[in-house]
Amino acid sequence: MRAAVLGAGSWGTTFAAVLADAGCAVTVWGRDEEVCRQIADEHRNERYLPGITLPDAVGATTDARAALAGADVVAVAVPSQSARATLAPLADALAPHAVVVSLMKGVELSTDRRMSEVVAESFGIDLARVAVVSGPNLAKEIAQRQPTATVVASTSEDTARIVARACASSYFRPYTNRDVVGVELCGAVKNVIALAVGISQGRGLGYNTMATVITRGLVEISRLGLALGADAETFPGLAGMGDLMATCASPDSRNHTLGCHIGRGMSLEEAVAATGGTAEGVKSSRSVLELAGSLGVDMPITAAVVRVLYEGLPVGELAALLLARPRKAEGV
C-alpha cells in the first residue's frame, strides 16, 4: 500500500513512521526544503522529532502533487485553520480510489466545520472516503515506538478498515468506530481543556485542580457532542477520556505547555513563540465556543479560556470564575 502524508511536523512525521512500520511505502510532503531533504536522505526530522530515526520506507518531497500521485491512503496533518487553503488546490491530484485520513484536531473558524467535513469539501469527495484518527497519541512517545491505541472513525466501515490495516503495528493498535462526530469533537475540545489545565498549573495549582478541570472538561465535550448527535459511548473511550488525559497531563503536549506559559504570565504571543509549535487549542477555542453558542450549549471552561487568551481576563481570575458558577447537581 502506498501512502502520502501532507504535513512534515511532529505528528505528520510520526504517523508516516507508523504507516511505514505497518508495511506502507510513505511519502511526506512539507514546505520546508531542509526538513524534507533530511527526511528523505537521512531518515531524520531533527526540527520536530530530534533523536528519532525514521524507517527507510519514509521519503519526503516539497512537491505535494508528487506525494499524492498513486497514493492509496492520504493522511492530512496540516494546521486545521489552513487546511482548506492547502487541500483545495490539490483536489485533482487525489487518486480516485484514495481514502483520506484527517490527523487534524480543530473546528474551522467562520464555518464551524469539523476537519473531516473540511477535507471532504476541499478534495470534493464523499465523506465515506474520509476517516479520522484520534486517541492518546502524543507524537514523541509514538515516535519512540511506545505502545498506544487509537480510534479510526469513518461513516464507512470499509474506509475505517482500510486505514486501520494501513497503520496497525506491534506498538500502534487502531480500533474502528462509526462515530465521526464524537471522535472529532473530543479531539478538538480536549486541546482547549489542556490549555485550561496548563494555565492552572502555571499558576502553581495542583492535582485536585487538574482533576477537576479534566473531569468537568469531559462534561463539556460530552455536552457539545451529544447536541450534535454523537454516541455517548465515545466520550469515556480512547478518543475521549484517553486523549484528554494524555493531552492534559503530559509536558510533551503543546497545548498543556502553552497554557503553562500563559499561567506564568506570558502574553499569548510570547507563549506561542516559547512553545515552538502549533497548539491547536489556541485557535480552536474560539471556533468551539462559537459552535457551542449556536447550539445553546454551556461550556464555561472553554469560555474562560477564550476570555484569558483574547479578552484580557487575568489568569489569576480563571479558577475563581469557574468556582463562582451557580451550584447544581453533578450530572447536569
Side-chain angles (χ1 to χ4, degrees):
M1 190 177 291
R2 293 192 59 192
V5 176
L6 302 180
S10 58
W11 185 211
T13 305
T14 296
F15 197 72
V18 169
L19 291 166
D21 283 341
C24 297
V26 189
T27 302
V28 177
W29 167 77
R31 299 183 188 277
D32 189 288
E33 291 185 3
E34 175 56 24
V35 168
C36 289
R37 183 207 63 76
Q38 191 178 68
I39 292 173
D41 297 345
E42 303 174 24
H43 301 295
R44 296 184 298 116
N45 184 344
E46 289 298 319
R47 177 177 297 181
Y48 295 105
L49 291 175
I52 299 296
T53 300
L54 302 172
D56 291 344
V58 176
T61 178
T62 56
D63 184 342
R65 291 177 174 274
L68 290 172
D72 305 297
V73 174
V74 176
V76 182
V78 300
S80 60
Q81 302 306 324
S82 62
R84 192 181 296 272
T86 300
L87 301 180
L90 301 173
D92 62 335
L94 187 71
H97 70 283
V99 297
V100 184
V101 186
S102 171
L103 303 179
M104 302 172 290
K105 296 177 178 178
V107 175
E108 189 177 44
L109 283 166
S110 77
T111 69
D112 295 339
R113 292 286 197 273
R114 292 174 285 107
M115 289 298 103
S116 63
E117 297 173 311
V118 172
V119 166
E121 291 172 5
S122 301
F123 276 135
I125 60 176
D126 192 277
L127 274 169
R129 288 174 60 189
V130 180
V132 300
V133 168
S134 193
N137 300 152
L138 295 166
K140 181 180 178 181
E141 294 181 8
I142 297 174
Q144 295 169 342
R145 294 177 173 81
Q146 296 184 26
T148 191
T150 197
V151 175
V152 177
S154 176
T155 59
S156 163
E157 290 184 6
D158 289 340
T159 296
R161 281 196 290 263
I162 290 170
V163 175
R165 186 172 70 248
C167 66
S169 71
S170 61
Y171 62 90
F172 195 81
R173 169 149 189 183
Y175 291 83
T176 58
N177 192 322
R178 294 289 297 271
D179 183 19
V180 178
V181 173
V183 169
E184 283 197 289
L185 286 176
C186 287
V189 185
K190 59 96 183 185
N191 287 328
V192 182
I193 306 304
L195 286 170
V197 170
I199 291 170
S200 68
Q201 293 192 321
R203 295 290 298 169
L205 302 177
Y207 291 105
N208 289 335
T209 304
M210 180 179 75
T212 299
V213 174
I214 290 174
T215 306
R216 295 308 299 175
L218 185 63
V219 172
E220 292 195 12
I221 295 170
S222 304
R223 196 180 284 151
L224 180 60
L226 292 174
L228 289 167
D231 185 343
E233 293 185 2
T234 297
F235 306 113
L238 288 166
M241 180 56 83
D243 197 7
L244 184 64
M245 288 175 62
T247 306
C248 289
S250 173
D252 291 329
S253 160
R254 285 192 294 266
N255 291 282
H256 176 272
T257 299
L258 189 144
C260 287
H261 291 319
I262 295 287
R264 294 179 186 125
M266 287 189 183
S267 67
L268 177 57
E269 294 74 18
E270 291 169 339
V272 169
T275 303
T278 301
E280 290 284 9
V282 172
K283 292 184 177 179
S284 292
S285 59
R286 289 186 295 178
S287 52
V288 166
L289 188 61
E290 182 179 280
L291 176 60
S294 71
L295 296 166
V297 174
D298 186 31
M299 300 187 72
I301 298 174
T302 301
V305 168
V306 169
R307 289 188 62 185
V308 168
L309 295 181
Y310 296 106
E311 298 174 12
L313 178 72
V315 291
E317 296 181 17
L318 178 64
L321 176 69
L322 296 175
L323 293 177
R325 290 173 54 77
R327 291 183 295 276
K328 59 183 180 180
E330 182 183 25
V332 178

